[in-house]
């Protein structure tokens, strides 16, 4: 984002920057983002470990994520075997991967010779036993614990003992997955972001028994395939999705209270986010969030969501792939505001007995971004992320956070941690205040006049 764009922002910009009496130095934010990519590559308090060089990978699962991962690996020069038990889906995946590579050649991004070479390095099979000699196995099947444990049981049986077994899970307990194997030290999470062949972020999830060598190899692998690897500990959602849950939670509550989805999206996009929360989930697939909410309703009944996104899903509106979510998509890509969703939102406010209020764009942005900051502080305080900058790098490279603002934790320092804490405490005294309990690390830093930046070592 250039200087002109920053100065041209609506009043959110002034409100956010000027509350601390300073204008955010865009150059400092961009410098922080660049330096952060170097910092996150260093694993603190880790014994010396030698990283193996990965050249041959087996990907298990031929859905959208499996196809994207396979493309990313082929584009990085690796040999890949894609395993998909359904013959029709395997044919579809093979054709889609080849078509993507050929499009790159047609657009001049690669030569036709390179395209042929990449396609030739792809092997496909319906049988896992036919792909059992890889150095690294990446599971990319449906986000269900029972399904993933079944796959890992099979992987443990057929893969060479020295091979690394990786899960692409985005939220599930990696230790529970590793527990079905006889080699939990060789199990790691490799959480790619969709589309995996384009998105730069790769969350490398360390399990309780992941060995230093496995972790070092996974981080070296991330770099080798052109990704920004960030180590995350095991928790529901790891770094990125755990924080994003609180961002979404506030977006949903805001539309209950008086905003409409298009206002929330526009406010956050004007502030600098690449895409607002409702457009983001329409792109990702509303059914994915619906599945996660169903699971968390059981695991975390004390942290309810708004019912609105579930009501949208119950109408069969899963986003772009169904041409309808929070928006309509007549051409399959371009969002169009739908009065039916506005009516659904207003009806839910009435059902809840809420009098809809006019919410400012400043209120929308601060509620969503401060929820992100507060949960980010929890993630760092619990050791899920090594440092605040790890959170920033995740959000800059995987969630469309504006580089000119440096990431949520950098932005918090620039805004002023006392002001951030004061706002969070004010929200904690209001509706759904349980969602705003200040993170202990945030309280601690404010009490001693500290900053997140001082923890980035």
């Amino acid at each position: 984002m250039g200087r002109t764009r920053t100065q041209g922002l609506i009043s959110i910009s002034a409100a956010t920057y000027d509350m601390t009496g300073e204008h955010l130095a865009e150059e400092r934010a961009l410098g922080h983002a660049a330096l952060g990519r170097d910092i996150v590559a260093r694993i603190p308090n880790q014994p010396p470990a030698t990283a193996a060089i990965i050249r041959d990978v087996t990907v298990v699962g031929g859905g959208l994520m499996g196809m994207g991962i396979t493309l990313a690996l082929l584009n990085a020069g690796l040999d890949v075997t894609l395993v998909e038990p359904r013959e029709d889906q395997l044919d579809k995946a093979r054709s889609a991967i080849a078509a993507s590579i050929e499009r790159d050649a047609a657009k001049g991004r690669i030569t036709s010779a390179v395209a042929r070479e990449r396609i030739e390095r792809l092997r496909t099979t319906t049988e896992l036993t036919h792909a059992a000699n890889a150095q690294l196995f990446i599971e990319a099947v449906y986000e269900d614990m029972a399904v993933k444990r079944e796959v890992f049981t099979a992987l443990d049986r057929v893969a060479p003992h020295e091979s690394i077994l990786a899960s692409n899970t985005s939220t599930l307990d990696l230790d529970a997955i590793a527990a079905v194997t006889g080699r939990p030290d060789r199990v790691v999470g490799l959480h790619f972001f969709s589309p995996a062949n384009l998105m730069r972020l790769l969350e490398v999830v360390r399990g309780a028994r992941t060995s230093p060598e496995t972790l070092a190899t996974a981080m070296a692998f991330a770099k080798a395939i052109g990704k920004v690897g960030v180590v995350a500990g095991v928790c529901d959602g790891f770094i990125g999705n755990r924080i994003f849950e609180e961002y979404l939670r506030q977006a949903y509550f805001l539309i209950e209270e008086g905003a409409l989805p298009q206002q929330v999206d526009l406010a956050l996009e004007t502030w600098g986010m690449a895409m607002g929360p409702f457009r983001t989930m329409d792109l990702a697939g509303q059914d994915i969030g619906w599945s996660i909410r169903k699971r968390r309703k059981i695991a975390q009944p004390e942290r309810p969501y708004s019912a609105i996104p579930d009501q949208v899903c119950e109408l069969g509106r899963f986003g772009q792939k169904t041409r309808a979510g929070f928006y309509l998509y007549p051409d399959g890509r371009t969002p169009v505001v739908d009065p039916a969703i506005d009516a659904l939102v207003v009806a839910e406010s009435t059902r809840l007995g809420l009098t809809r209020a006019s919410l400012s764009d400043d209120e929308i942005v601060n509620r969503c971004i401060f929820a992100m900051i507060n949960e980010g502080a929890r993630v760092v305080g619990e050791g899920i992320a090594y440092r605040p900058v790890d959170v920033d790098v995740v959000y800059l490279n995987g969630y469309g956070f504006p580089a000119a603002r440096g990431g949520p934790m950098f932005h918090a320092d620039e805004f002023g941690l006392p002001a951030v804490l004061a706002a969070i405490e004010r929200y904690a005294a209001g509706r759904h205040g349980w969602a705003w309990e200040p993170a202990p690390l945030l309280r601690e830093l404010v009490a001693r006049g500290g900053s997140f930046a001082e923890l980035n070592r």
Side-chain angles (χ1 to χ4, degrees):
M1 183 186 300
R3 176 71 66 188
T4 302
R5 171 73 187 275
T6 300
Q7 291 177 339
L9 294 177
I10 61 174
S11 62
I12 301 167
S13 221
T16 304
Y17 295 158
D18 293 347
M19 282 184 70
T20 60
E22 298 177 1
H23 187 284
L24 176 65
E26 185 174 312
E27 293 78 8
R28 286 187 57 225
L30 295 173
H32 171 77
L35 181 62
R37 289 191 292 272
D38 293 329
I39 295 173
V40 299
R42 301 197 297 265
I43 304 174
N45 305 317
Q46 185 86 334
T50 301
I53 298 174
I54 301 296
R55 296 187 179 90
D56 193 306
V57 183
T58 289
V59 177
V60 182
L64 285 175
M65 184 56 76
M67 285 189 278
I69 293 171
T70 299
L71 262 173
L73 303 184
L74 291 171
N75 293 345
L78 302 185
D79 293 328
V80 185
T81 302
L82 177 62
V83 181
E84 168 54 58
R86 298 167 296 175
E87 187 70 55
D88 58 338
Q89 181 60 36
L90 185 62
D91 291 341
K92 179 181 176 181
R94 183 168 46 234
S95 297
I97 291 166
S100 178
I101 293 171
E102 288 164 355
R103 276 195 302 272
D104 283 346
K107 293 178 179 179
R109 295 170 182 160
I110 57 176
T111 66
S112 57
V114 168
R116 284 195 303 273
E117 183 265 337
R118 288 181 181 179
I119 293 171
E120 288 170 0
R121 281 192 281 101
L122 173 63
R123 301 179 297 273
T124 59
T125 179
T126 58
E127 299 293 334
L128 184 58
T129 53
H130 295 167
N133 292 319
Q135 298 165 284
L136 170 65
F137 292 76
I138 302 176
E139 163 272 306
V141 301
Y142 187 68
E143 188 76 347
D144 177 87
M145 179 61 79
V147 175
K148 290 186 183 292
R149 284 166 65 97
E150 181 180 351
V151 170
F152 267 75
T153 298
L155 288 175
D156 192 45
R157 184 171 60 250
V158 304
H161 183 72
E162 65 275 11
S163 297
I164 292 175
L165 311 183
S167 175
N168 181 56
T169 180
S170 59
T171 58
L172 299 177
D173 185 343
L174 183 71
D175 292 330
I177 295 171
V180 301
T181 76
R183 61 178 100 179
D185 58 314
R186 306 291 289 172
V187 174
V188 69
L190 291 177
H191 176 210
F192 288 80
F193 285 69
S194 187
N197 54 310
L198 299 178
M199 295 295 285
R200 296 190 67 195
L201 179 64
L202 179 59
E203 277 188 316
V204 176
V205 184
R206 66 181 194 279
R209 296 180 63 184
T210 301
S211 72
E213 291 75 20
T214 299
L215 193 58
T217 297
M219 287 295 283
F221 169 76
K223 183 177 180 180
I225 63 172
K227 303 298 184 185
V228 178
V230 181
V231 177
V234 174
C235 69
D236 198 337
F238 313 125
I239 296 173
N241 282 344
R242 172 172 165 179
I243 294 170
F244 197 67
E245 284 299 305
E246 299 311 313
Y247 172 79
L248 285 177
R249 197 186 308 276
Q250 291 306 313
Y252 298 146
F253 288 157
L254 282 162
I255 62 174
E256 286 183 350
E257 295 165 22
L260 290 171
Q262 57 269 25
Q263 182 192 358
V264 174
D265 281 349
L266 181 59
L268 284 156
E269 288 165 12
T270 303
W271 186 79
M273 295 294 289
M275 191 177 289
F278 297 97
R279 287 185 61 206
T280 296
M281 293 308 296
D282 271 0
L283 177 62
Q286 292 291 345
D287 52 328
I288 294 173
W290 194 21
S291 176
I292 292 171
R293 287 190 298 275
K294 288 176 182 177
R295 179 169 58 81
R296 288 186 178 162
K297 187 174 183 179
I298 297 171
Q300 301 175 345
E302 75 286 358
R303 299 186 67 78
Y305 294 87
S306 165
I308 292 173
D310 290 355
Q311 292 170 4
V312 171
C313 289
E314 287 161 4
L315 295 173
R317 301 176 64 131
F318 298 147
Q320 286 191 21
K321 61 188 173 185
T322 58
R323 294 184 180 252
F326 273 93
Y327 298 91
L328 293 173
Y329 297 88
D331 64 0
R333 296 190 65 181
T334 307
V336 175
V337 173
D338 185 355
I341 290 297
D342 292 355
L344 182 153
V345 167
V346 172
E348 178 62 10
S349 299
T350 300
R351 188 188 73 82
L352 293 171
L354 296 175
T355 300
R356 291 180 63 80
S358 177
L359 299 176
S360 71
D361 288 346
D362 288 352
E363 175 76 1
I364 290 168
V365 169
N366 288 338
R367 283 263 298 269
C368 291
I369 300 301
F370 288 179
M372 190 181 287
I373 291 167
N374 195 41
E375 194 65 19
R378 290 188 190 282
V379 164
V380 176
E382 294 172 11
I384 300 300
Y386 287 129
R387 299 146 296 224
V389 71
D390 295 55
V391 174
D392 288 340
V393 170
V394 164
Y395 267 79
L396 292 168
N397 290 277
Y399 290 85
F401 199 96
R405 296 185 185 272
M409 314 316 284
F410 180 89
H411 176 65
D413 278 347
E414 293 294 314
F415 194 100
L417 295 192
V420 171
L421 178 59
I424 288 172
E425 289 176 332
R426 184 171 69 253
Y427 296 141
R431 180 173 183 258
H432 289 309
W434 53 265
W436 287 104
E437 176 63 30
L441 178 60
L442 179 58
R443 285 194 186 279
E444 174 194 329
L445 289 174
V446 171
R448 61 180 174 83
S451 68
F452 288 121
E454 71 188 47
L455 305 177
N456 290 330
R457 299 186 179 91

